[in-house]
Amino acid sequence: MSDKSITDRRNFLRRAAVTAIAGGAVAACSDATPKVAAASTLPAAKPALSAAETMDKMHEAGVKAFPAKTAGKGNQILSPRIENGVKIFELTAEKIQWETAPGQMVEAWAYNKQVPGPQIHVREGDSVRVILHNKLDQSTAIHFHGLELPNSVDGIPFITQPPVKPGESYTYEFTAPEGNYGSHMYHSHHNSAQQVGLGMLGAFLVHPKNPSPIEHADVDYTLILNDGAHGYTFNGKSFPATEPLTAKVGQKLRIRFMNEGMMIHPMHLHGMHMTVFAKDGWTLPAPWRCDTLNVAPGERYDVIVNCKSAGVWAFHCHILPHAESEHGMFGMVTAVIVS
Amino acid sequence: MSDKSITDRRNFLRRAAVTAIAGGAVAACSDATPKVAAASTLPAAKPALSAAETMDKMHEAGVKAFPAKTAGKGNQILSPRIENGVKIFELTAEKIQWETAPGQMVEAWAYNKQVPGPQIHVREGDSVRVILHNKLDQSTAIHFHGLELPNSVDGIPFITQPPVKPGESYTYEFTAPEGNYGSHMYHSHHNSAQQVGLGMLGAFLVHPKNPSPIEHADVDYTLILNDGAHGYTFNGKSFPATEPLTAKVGQKLRIRFMNEGMMIHPMHLHGMHMTVFAKDGWTLPAPWRCDTLNVAPGERYDVIVNCKSAGVWAFHCHILPHAESEHGMFGMVTAVIVS
Amino acid sequence: MSDKSITDRRNFLRRAAVTAIAGGAVAACSDATPKVAAASTLPAAKPALSAAETMDKMHEAGVKAFPAKTAGKGNQILSPRIENGVKIFELTAEKIQWETAPGQMVEAWAYNKQVPGPQIHVREGDSVRVILHNKLDQSTAIHFHGLELPNSVDGIPFITQPPVKPGESYTYEFTAPEGNYGSHMYHSHHNSAQQVGLGMLGAFLVHPKNPSPIEHADVDYTLILNDGAHGYTFNGKSFPATEPLTAKVGQKLRIRFMNEGMMIHPMHLHGMHMTVFAKDGWTLPAPWRCDTLNVAPGERYDVIVNCKSAGVWAFHCHILPHAESEHGMFGMVTAVIVS
C-alpha cells in the first residue's frame, strides 16, 4: 500500500473515529437534554463513513497511488564490459534493504543492489564471462537456469564447483550456446530456498542470431513473479509500486514471464489475449492463445499481445488472495496501459 | 455428506457403541458367573462392527446418497429479456443461505440467489446489456473475464468505473466481440478475494456464429470448480450433492471447465479420455488428449469426451484430500453416467 | 539426509560447540592475564568453524552421500506368471516400515513391500489378471488410472465393486485396451487420500504393439513424484537416497513422470532440455521442449532427453523448499548422470 493510500486510510479511519467520538460526545453532553433532541443533533454532525465507503476509499487510494514511487528498481539491463570480444558481467551479492511498496522495507540478498538482479542480455554464440563477488556471510553459487552449458559451469556446489565463500569471487566463462536462445534466468543454487527467496535471481536473455517474425516486438518486457519473503511481487515490487507495461495501439508487446517463487501464478490479462509462442525459451511448434497463463516455479513463457485496444488493462495473478484484500489491491497486480 | 449418510454414520456409530455397551453390560452382569461363560455369551450379542466395516459403511452411505438433494441450484441458464434487439440480463447480488451438501448451510453472496450465478449465453455480435443490482452492504462491480470489451466496461472500480454502491444499480452495455467466442466467465472485481470466494461468479458463454465440427456436442456441460469459503465444490455443491453428467453411449459430451477458486484442480475422468480443444475460449491449433486436466484459477478448458463406454465413471479432482476423507468421498467428486 | 551427513553435521556442530567452549574456557582461565593476551591466544586454538563453513559442510555431506544406500527399493518390474496366455500379477497390500533416506523410517502401506509398488508392464491387447490380496486392517480396491477398461473393473467401492475387506482377495481381469498404451498408474481408490498417501500406488505401463520412432529410447525410466506422509520423494526415496538416472553420451533417455502426490512439482533438468511427447499416455500432436515440466497430481508426461552432454546434471523439483534447506539438498532431488 502506498504512503498515500496508508495516509488516506488512516485519515478515513481517523475521521470515522473522530466522528464517532464527536457523536458520542454530543450524546454524552446531552445527558441533561431529552434523548430525542440529542439524536436530532446527530444529522448535523458529519456522518460516519459507512463500512462500504471506508472500504471503497482504501481501494481507491491504492489505485490512485499507482504507479507508486519506491526506492530501488530491479531488473535493469546490465551493460557488459567487453574485453577481447568477451562480454563481461559482474554480479556482487550482498544484503540490502529493499522497498517493495511505499514504506514496506524488507531485507534482501541482492545482486548489484537490485531485486530482481540486473538483466543480462547476450546473443547466441557470444563469449560470456560472469564474475560473481560474494559479500554475503554465506557461501553461494550461480546456476544459469535454461542455458545448456558445459557441466563445469552449471553452478552446483560440491557437484560442479566449490561453493563461493564469503569474501570470495568466482568466474563463469562460457559461450552462449547455439540454438538455445530465449528467456532464461540466473539464480543462486546454494541454500537456494533461502537465497533465491531473498532476491538472488535475475533474467538471462539470449537473443537469437536470426529472429523469426514472431520474435519481433515493439515493446519487450520481462516480468519476474515472486512470492517468498518479500511477499507477492512483480519484479521485486508490490502493487501499487509495480511498474505498468506501456504500449501504443497497434503495437506488439512481448512479455517474458518468469516464476522464481514457490507457487503457481496464473497470470490474467484483461481486454486482450496473449499468444504463447515459447516455453522455457523453446519456440512452441503450435503457439496457442489465452487470457490466463499458469506459470509454475522455474518456468518461463514468452507471449505476444497485439495491443489493439486503448485503455488501462488490469493484469494480475488470478489467485485472488495474491492480488486483493479487503483493503484493496496489493501484491501481484499491475496494468498494461495502451494509449 | 448427505443427511442419509450422516444418519447412517450416526446409526453405525450408535449401534457400535450400543453393542459395545451391551457387551460391557453382559460382562458386568456376569460377575457372578465364570469368565468363560461370560465370554461365551458374547457371540450371541450383536458383534461390534469392526473399524473397517464402520469406515466402509460411511463410504457406502455417501455413494448411495449420490446425487443427494439439496436446496438451490446454481449455474442455471438465464433467459434474456429482448428489447430493440438487445439481450438484457439482470443480475442481483445479495446475501443468501446456500446448501452445499445436505444439511451444510453456508452464507453465500450470490447473483440471483444462485451459486454459481446464472449462466449467460450470447452469440458473437449480439448486443448485450447486463444490469447489476447491488443489494449487498459492500460496493461491487462485474468483470467479464475473457471477453475483449472496450475498457469502459471492463468492470474495475476506480480504473474503468465507479464502484457500484450498496443499493445502486449499474448497466454494462456492449457487443459480444467477433472472434472472441467460447467459455468465459463473469465475476466481481471489487474486494474480489472475498466476493468471488463467497459466490459472486458465473459462466458467460459466447457461441460462435459458425461453429466448427469439434464444437458440436450432444451434451454441453459447464463445470465450475471452487475451493473457497464454501469448501471444495463443483457448481456450488459438494459430493454427494454434486450433479452427475449424463450421456448415452456414442454421444459426444462437451465439458467446459472453469476454475473460480484459489488452487489448481487436476480433474480426472475415469474410463474415457478427454480431447482438449480450447483454452480460455480460444481454439487450440493442436488439440490433445488426457485423462487428467490441470485447471488453474481463472483458466477455462473445453474438452470433448466420446462416450464410448457405459457405466458410472468417477470424475473428480485428483488432489485426493479434495475428494475423499476417512469418512468417504466428499467435495470435488461427481460422475459421468453413460447409459 | 544420510547417516553420513547426519554424522558429519553432528560432528561439525559438536566440534563447533567444543571449540566455542574451549575458546570460552581459555577466556575464563585468562581472568588473571590481560585481555589482549587472552585474545591473542585464540588464534592458536582451533578456530570455530564459521556458520558459512558449517552450512557448506552439511551441504557437502549430502552431496557426497548421494546415492545413499537405504533398505528397500520400490518401482521394481514385476514379472507376471503366465497361465493360458493370461499375464497374472499378484499384489499384496500390507503395512511395512520403509526407509526414505538413511535412518528415516516411516510407516508405509505398500504393495509387495515396495514404495512405489512394483511396475507392471503389459502390451496392448494382452489378457491381464491382477489379483489383490488385502493384508491391511482397512478395506481397499485398485483403480487402474489411465486405462480405459470396462466399468466393472474400474475399482471404485460401492460403484463398480464391493470393497476388498481385510483378509480378502479380489481379482481384476481385463484386456489391455487397443490404442490406450502409455504411462499409466494403479493405486487405491478407497480411503485414497490416506492409502495412496501412505504408498499404495505404482506404475502400469502399456507398451504399444507398433512403437513410433519417438518411443524408442536407450534408457526408459519411470519417476513417480510424491509429497505425502513420507515427505518429498522420487520413487519412495528422498535425496540423497534417490536413484540417479544414468545414460551415455548420445543416448536417448525416456523419462515417464507420474505425480501421485497432492501438489504440483515443476521438474527442472539442468544442462539438457526435455522433449515432451505424451500426456497421460496419449501422444501429443505437437511435441514441445522445456527444461522445467510442471506435473500436477494424477498427470503423467513422457519426455525424451537427448543426452548430448557429459556430466552430473542436477534434476529436481523447482519449488525450492521441496529440494533444499539450510542443511543442504533433500527431498525431490536426483541427478541425470551422463558418462
Side-chain angles (χ1 to χ4, degrees):
Chain A
M1 204 175 289
S2 72
D3 273 335
K4 186 175 178 309
S5 80
I6 289 170
T7 310
D8 281 358
R9 190 181 147 206
R10 283 196 188 128
N11 285 349
F12 277 100
L13 293 174
R14 192 178 300 131
R15 200 183 307 159
V18 166
T19 314
I21 291 166
V26 169
C29 294
S30 67
D31 277 354
T33 24
K35 285 201 167 163
V36 172
S40 69
T41 64
L42 284 176
K46 183 160 190 161
L49 281 170
S50 75
E53 283 173 317
T54 303
M55 176 184 282
D56 290 352
K57 282 292 176 186
M58 291 190 287
H59 282 244
E60 182 176 18
V63 170
K64 296 300 184 228
F66 174 77
K69 204 171 164 173
T70 47
K73 178 171 158 58
N75 201 29
Q76 297 186 63
I77 294 175
L78 178 61
S79 294
R81 181 172 88 243
I82 300 183
E83 287 180 9
N84 300 321
V86 179
K87 290 184 176 168
I88 301 172
F89 301 90
E90 302 210 28
L91 296 172
T92 301
E94 64 193 305
K95 290 190 192 181
I96 61 169
Q97 288 293 305
W98 186 251
E99 194 176 19
T100 57
Q104 298 284 337
M105 300 304 296
V106 294
E107 177 176 306
W109 298 11
Y111 295 118
N112 298 9
K113 303 186 195 298
Q114 295 180 36
V115 181
Q119 266 185 33
I120 292 178
H121 287 249
V122 303
R123 190 169 296 277
E124 275 182 284
D126 276 356
S127 294
V128 180
R129 188 179 304 149
V130 176
I131 306 172
L132 166 64
H133 305 291
N134 183 7
K135 293 192 176 171
L136 298 169
D137 52 17
Q138 275 185 12
S139 298
T140 190
I142 292 179
H143 169 58
F144 300 92
H145 180 113
L147 288 176
E148 305 198 343
L149 303 177
N151 201 236
S152 59
V153 285
D154 195 42
I156 318 303
F158 306 112
I159 298 181
T160 67
Q161 68 167 80
V164 184
K165 294 183 182 173
E168 291 184 351
S169 294
Y170 193 86
T171 299
Y172 299 89
E173 186 128 20
F174 53 84
T175 302
E178 303 278 339
N180 180 213
Y181 57 83
S183 301
H184 303 306
M185 310 193 288
Y186 65 95
H187 53 223
S188 166
H189 213 288
H190 187 61
N191 190 25
S192 58
Q194 182 179 35
Q195 294 190 1
V196 176
L198 284 164
M200 295 176 67
L201 59 100
F204 196 112
L205 308 187
V206 182
H207 296 281
K209 281 181 177 169
N210 303 300
S212 64
I214 204 168
E215 297 257 345
H216 167 73
D218 300 295
V219 182
D220 190 324
Y221 194 86
T222 297
L223 183 60
I224 305 184
L225 317 174
N226 221 329
D227 53 40
H230 300 162
Y232 298 114
T233 58
F234 289 160
N235 290 337
K237 303 288 177 177
S238 290
F239 184 86
T242 47
E243 185 181 25
L245 291 73
T246 57
K248 292 189 186 352
V249 171
Q251 284 191 322
K252 285 174 74 177
L253 164 64
R254 177 186 189 154
I255 307 171
R256 302 171 188 259
F257 292 96
M258 305 182 173
N259 186 337
E260 281 281 20
M262 298 174 285
M263 308 170 185
I264 58 151
H265 297 292
M267 290 294 303
H268 177 52
L269 176 61
H270 287 219
M272 297 174 299
H273 62 275
M274 306 184 270
T275 300
V276 185
F277 72 94
K279 162 81 173 88
D280 298 348
W282 299 102
T283 303
L284 289 170
W288 43 273
R289 289 168 291 176
C290 68
D291 55 61
T292 306
L293 179 62
N294 188 30
V295 189
E299 289 192 314
R300 292 89 65 210
Y301 286 98
D302 285 54
V303 308
I304 289 286
V305 179
N306 288 307
C307 297
K308 63 179 184 181
S309 196
V312 177
W313 298 106
F315 185 30
H316 59 93
C317 176
H318 212 279
I319 297 180
L320 299 178
H322 297 183
E324 194 169 30
S325 78
E326 298 193 9
H327 294 167
M329 293 191 286
F330 77 102
M332 294 185 140
V333 177
T334 185
V336 173
I337 302 178
V338 180
S339 58
Chain B
M1 205 175 291
S2 72
D3 272 336
K4 186 175 177 310
S5 79
I6 289 170
T7 309
D8 281 359
R9 189 181 146 207
R10 283 198 188 127
N11 286 349
F12 278 101
L13 293 173
R14 192 178 299 130
R15 202 183 306 161
V18 165
T19 314
I21 291 166
V26 168
C29 292
S30 67
D31 276 354
T33 24
K35 287 202 167 166
V36 173
S40 71
T41 64
L42 285 175
K46 184 160 193 159
L49 282 169
S50 75
E53 283 173 315
T54 303
M55 177 184 281
D56 289 352
K57 282 292 176 186
M58 291 190 286
H59 282 244
E60 182 176 18
V63 169
K64 295 300 183 227
F66 175 76
K69 203 172 165 175
T70 47
K73 179 172 159 57
N75 201 28
Q76 297 186 63
I77 294 175
L78 178 60
S79 294
R81 180 171 89 243
I82 300 182
E83 287 180 9
N84 299 322
V86 179
K87 290 184 176 168
I88 302 171
F89 301 90
E90 303 210 26
L91 296 173
T92 301
E94 64 194 305
K95 290 189 192 180
I96 62 168
Q97 288 293 306
W98 186 253
E99 194 176 20
T100 57
Q104 297 284 338
M105 300 304 296
V106 294
E107 177 175 306
W109 298 12
Y111 295 118
N112 299 7
K113 302 187 197 295
Q114 296 179 36
V115 181
Q119 265 185 32
I120 293 178
H121 287 249
V122 303
R123 190 168 295 277
E124 275 181 285
D126 275 356
S127 295
V128 179
R129 188 180 303 150
V130 176
I131 306 172
L132 166 63
H133 305 290
N134 182 8
K135 292 191 175 173
L136 299 169
D137 52 16
Q138 274 184 13
S139 298
T140 190
I142 293 179
H143 169 58
F144 301 93
H145 179 113
L147 289 176
E148 306 198 342
L149 303 177
N151 202 237
S152 59
V153 285
D154 195 42
I156 318 304
F158 305 113
I159 297 182
T160 66
Q161 67 167 82
V164 183
K165 294 183 183 174
E168 289 184 354
S169 294
Y170 193 87
T171 298
Y172 298 90
E173 186 128 20
F174 54 83
T175 301
E178 303 279 338
N180 180 213
Y181 57 83
S183 301
H184 303 306
M185 308 194 288
Y186 65 95
H187 52 223
S188 167
H189 213 288
H190 188 61
N191 190 25
S192 58
Q194 182 179 36
Q195 294 190 1
V196 176
L198 284 164
M200 295 175 69
L201 59 99
F204 196 111
L205 308 187
V206 182
H207 297 280
K209 280 181 176 167
N210 303 301
S212 64
I214 205 168
E215 298 256 345
H216 166 74
D218 300 296
V219 181
D220 189 325
Y221 194 86
T222 297
L223 183 60
I224 305 183
L225 317 174
N226 221 331
D227 53 39
H230 299 161
Y232 299 114
T233 58
F234 288 161
N235 290 338
K237 302 288 176 175
S238 292
F239 185 87
T242 48
E243 186 181 24
L245 290 73
T246 57
K248 292 189 187 351
V249 171
Q251 283 191 324
K252 285 175 72 177
L253 165 63
R254 177 187 187 152
I255 307 171
R256 302 170 188 260
F257 293 95
M258 305 184 172
N259 187 336
E260 281 281 20
M262 297 174 285
M263 306 171 185
I264 58 150
H265 297 292
M267 290 294 304
H268 177 51
L269 176 59
H270 287 220
M272 298 175 298
H273 62 274
M274 306 183 269
T275 300
V276 185
F277 72 94
K279 162 83 173 89
D280 299 349
W282 299 102
T283 304
L284 289 170
W288 44 274
R289 289 169 289 176
C290 67
D291 55 61
T292 306
L293 179 63
N294 188 30
V295 189
E299 288 192 315
R300 292 91 63 211
Y301 285 97
D302 285 56
V303 308
I304 289 286
V305 179
N306 289 307
C307 297
K308 64 179 183 181
S309 197
V312 176
W313 298 105
F315 185 30
H316 59 93
C317 177
H318 212 279
I319 297 180
L320 299 177
H322 297 183
E324 195 169 30
S325 78
E326 298 193 10
H327 294 167
M329 292 191 287
F330 77 102
M332 293 184 142
V333 177
T334 186
V336 173
I337 301 178
V338 180
S339 57
Chain C
M1 204 174 291
S2 71
D3 272 335
K4 186 174 178 313
S5 80
I6 288 170
T7 308
D8 282 359
R9 190 181 146 206
R10 283 196 187 128
N11 286 347
F12 278 100
L13 292 173
R14 192 178 299 131
R15 200 183 308 160
V18 165
T19 314
I21 290 165
V26 168
C29 293
S30 66
D31 276 354
T33 24
K35 287 203 165 162
V36 174
S40 69
T41 66
L42 284 175
K46 183 161 189 156
L49 281 170
S50 74
E53 284 173 315
T54 303
M55 177 184 282
D56 289 352
K57 284 291 177 187
M58 292 190 286
H59 282 245
E60 182 176 17
V63 170
K64 296 300 183 228
F66 174 77
K69 204 172 164 173
T70 47
K73 178 171 159 58
N75 201 27
Q76 298 186 63
I77 294 176
L78 178 60
S79 293
R81 180 172 89 243
I82 300 183
E83 288 180 9
N84 300 321
V86 179
K87 290 184 176 167
I88 302 172
F89 301 90
E90 302 210 29
L91 296 173
T92 300
E94 63 194 305
K95 290 189 192 181
I96 61 168
Q97 288 293 306
W98 186 251
E99 195 176 20
T100 57
Q104 297 284 339
M105 300 303 296
V106 295
E107 177 176 307
W109 298 12
Y111 294 117
N112 299 8
K113 302 188 196 295
Q114 296 180 35
V115 181
Q119 266 185 32
I120 293 178
H121 287 248
V122 303
R123 191 168 295 277
E124 273 183 284
D126 276 355
S127 294
V128 179
R129 188 179 303 150
V130 176
I131 306 172
L132 166 64
H133 305 290
N134 182 8
K135 292 192 176 173
L136 298 169
D137 52 16
Q138 275 185 12
S139 298
T140 190
I142 293 179
H143 169 58
F144 300 93
H145 180 113
L147 290 176
E148 306 198 342
L149 303 177
N151 202 236
S152 58
V153 285
D154 195 42
I156 318 304
F158 306 113
I159 297 182
T160 66
Q161 67 167 82
V164 184
K165 294 183 182 173
E168 290 184 353
S169 294
Y170 193 87
T171 298
Y172 299 89
E173 185 128 22
F174 53 83
T175 301
E178 304 279 339
N180 179 213
Y181 57 83
S183 301
H184 303 306
M185 309 193 289
Y186 66 94
H187 52 223
S188 166
H189 213 288
H190 188 61
N191 190 26
S192 58
Q194 183 179 34
Q195 294 190 1
V196 176
L198 284 164
M200 297 177 67
L201 59 100
F204 196 111
L205 308 187
V206 182
H207 297 281
K209 281 181 177 168
N210 303 299
S212 65
I214 204 168
E215 297 257 345
H216 167 74
D218 300 295
V219 181
D220 189 325
Y221 194 86
T222 297
L223 183 60
I224 305 184
L225 318 174
N226 221 330
D227 53 39
H230 300 163
Y232 299 114
T233 58
F234 289 160
N235 291 338
K237 302 287 177 176
S238 290
F239 184 87
T242 47
E243 185 181 24
L245 290 73
T246 56
K248 292 188 184 356
V249 171
Q251 284 191 323
K252 285 175 74 177
L253 165 63
R254 177 187 187 152
I255 307 171
R256 300 170 187 261
F257 293 96
M258 303 183 174
N259 187 337
E260 281 282 20
M262 298 173 286
M263 308 171 184
I264 57 151
H265 297 292
M267 290 294 303
H268 176 52
L269 176 60
H270 287 220
M272 297 174 298
H273 61 275
M274 307 183 269
T275 301
V276 185
F277 72 93
K279 162 81 173 90
D280 298 349
W282 299 101
T283 303
L284 290 170
W288 44 274
R289 288 169 290 177
C290 68
D291 55 60
T292 306
L293 179 62
N294 188 29
V295 189
E299 289 192 314
R300 291 90 63 210
Y301 286 97
D302 285 54
V303 309
I304 290 287
V305 179
N306 289 307
C307 296
K308 63 178 182 181
S309 198
V312 176
W313 298 106
F315 185 31
H316 59 93
C317 176
H318 212 279
I319 297 180
L320 299 178
H322 298 183
E324 195 169 28
S325 78
E326 298 193 8
H327 295 167
M329 293 191 287
F330 77 102
M332 294 183 142
V333 177
T334 186
V336 173
I337 302 179
V338 181
S339 57

